[in-house]
């Protein structure tokens, strides 16, 4: 603190003492300003000098003890010094502000010549890889991709596929019904009927329908939500041999050029005749191993010639055109392709599993 003279000292010294005191405060503050190196220190000095209890402010109170003829001169001197110090404080604040800005710019400078930090890349999911590969194979054969709603009506999910409400084949799968007439689709087959109705009478109808489907299954080889790709070809003169040729080309593109297929008689309400399609084991080549359970063959999909009733519902005359259809589970193809033993690994999103692909 600056030494402040007592009232009786000012009375004794008169105006000369006041002048000396004002000059002493001015010189002392200007000297202290040079030493202040931070905005906080500068503000502390400003409050101590010109605040309500500051040394310069105190001189206004002490003027009461001066003779009347000196009060005007003393007041003017104090005001002049106050203006000088306020300008000095403002100049110092600007200097410190510039210094702080330069310091920040130096500390926060980015050297763009240095290599950037590596960005960790993710991995494409095996199902994404499988969808892309399946679509690429069939697009090369002239098929196009069609899509439809995942929440379906009972009509398109069952009845339009030759499954009336009392058909016993409905018991072959447990379905998720939202209401009596609304269901989570159990296969992508409804897309086939919707596409035929949209395209009729144009020919050929040549599509694959990839997407999610839902059934009440949950174990090492089944999931309540899984994925299918179904195919449909409707045209004049389509035969079972055409179906076999398309599927043979597909499995050789997917699993290797030395693969073979066989068609076993089966039953599906929406195809007639129907067949289960097996592929020769990609591990043992048909000799028999643990994967194919010693048979040399692995079931991969279902297929058949489109049922005449389904063609009629799609708007086509079964006497004029024929067609074939097939459907495969994408997870099953992925498990065979990549050697995945438990379907639940596909949905766990464990990075250690996904990074293998």
């Amino acid at each position: 603190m600056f030494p402040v003279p007592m009232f009786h000292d000012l009375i004794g010294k008169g105006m000369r003492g006041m002048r000396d005191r004002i000059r002493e405060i001015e010189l002392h503050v200007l000297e202290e300003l040079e030493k202040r190196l931070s905005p906080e220190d500068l503000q502390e000095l400003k409050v101590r000098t010109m605040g309500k209890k500051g040394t310069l402010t105190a001189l206004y109170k002490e003027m009461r003890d001066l003779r009347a003829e000196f009060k005007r001169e003393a007041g003017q001197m104090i005001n002049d010094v106050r203006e000088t110090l306020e300008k000095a404080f403002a100049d110092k604040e600007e200097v410190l502000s510039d210094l702080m800005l330069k310091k920040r710019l130096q500390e926060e400078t980015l050297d763009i010549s240095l290599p950037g930090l590596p960005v960790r890349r993710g991995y494409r999911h095996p199902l994404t890889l499988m969808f892309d590969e399946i679509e690429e194979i069939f697009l090369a054969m002239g098929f196009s991709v069609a899509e439809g709603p995942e929440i379906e009506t009972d009509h398109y999910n069952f009845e339009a596929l030759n499954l009336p409400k009392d058909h016993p084949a409905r018991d072959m799968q447990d379905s998720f019904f939202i209401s009596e007439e609304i269901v989570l689709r159990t296969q992508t087959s409804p897309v086939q009927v919707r596409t035929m109705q949209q395209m009729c009478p144009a020919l050929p109808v040549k599509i694959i329908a990839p997407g999610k489907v839902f059934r009440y299954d949950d174990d090492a080889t089944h999931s309540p939500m899984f994925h299918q790709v179904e195919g449909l070809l409707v045209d004049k003169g389509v035969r079972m041999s055409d179906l076999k040729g398309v599927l043979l080309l597909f499995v050789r593109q997917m699993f290797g050029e030395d693969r073979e297929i066989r068609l076993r008689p089966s039953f599906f309400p929406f195809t007639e005749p129907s067949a289960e399609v097996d592929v020769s084991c990609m591990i043992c080549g048909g000799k028999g191993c643990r994967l194919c359970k010693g048979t040399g063959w692995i079931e991969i999909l279902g297929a058949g010639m489109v049922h005449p009733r389904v063609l009629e519902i799609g708007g086509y005359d079964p006497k004029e055109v024929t067609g074939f259809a097939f459907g495969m589970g994408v997870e099953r193809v992925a498990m065979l392709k990549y050697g995945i033993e438990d379907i639940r690994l596909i949905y766990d999103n464990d990075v250690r599993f996904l990074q293998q692909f």
Side-chain angles (χ1 to χ4, degrees), residues 280 304 338:
S280 58
Y338 300 123

Side-chain angles (χ1 to χ4, degrees), residues 15-63:
M15 187 59 194
R16 181 181 296 177
M18 176 64 80
R19 292 192 191 100
D20 292 343
R21 181 63 180 150
I22 293 172
R23 292 192 185 98
E24 180 184 348
I25 292 174
E26 180 182 13
L27 293 174
H28 184 80
V29 172
L30 291 174
E31 183 180 340
E32 285 293 313
L33 272 173
E34 298 299 323
K35 301 177 183 179
R36 305 296 161 147
L37 300 177
S38 70
E40 294 77 16
D41 290 343
L42 184 65
Q43 182 63 22
E44 184 272 334
L45 177 62
K46 187 175 183 179
V47 171
R48 187 150 54 89
T49 303
M50 295 186 293
K52 290 183 178 181
K53 298 181 180 181
T55 53
L56 189 62
T57 307
L59 294 179
Y60 288 108
K61 299 178 182 179
E62 296 168 8
M63 287 171 53

Side-chain angles (χ1 to χ4, degrees), residues 23 36 89 132 138 158 166 200-201 219 240 276 285 307:
R23 292 192 185 98
R36 305 296 161 147
F89 274 108
D132 289 346
F138 283 105
F158 293 116
D166 59 349
C200 185
D219 55 41
M240 196 78 170
E276 297 284 358
H307 196 286

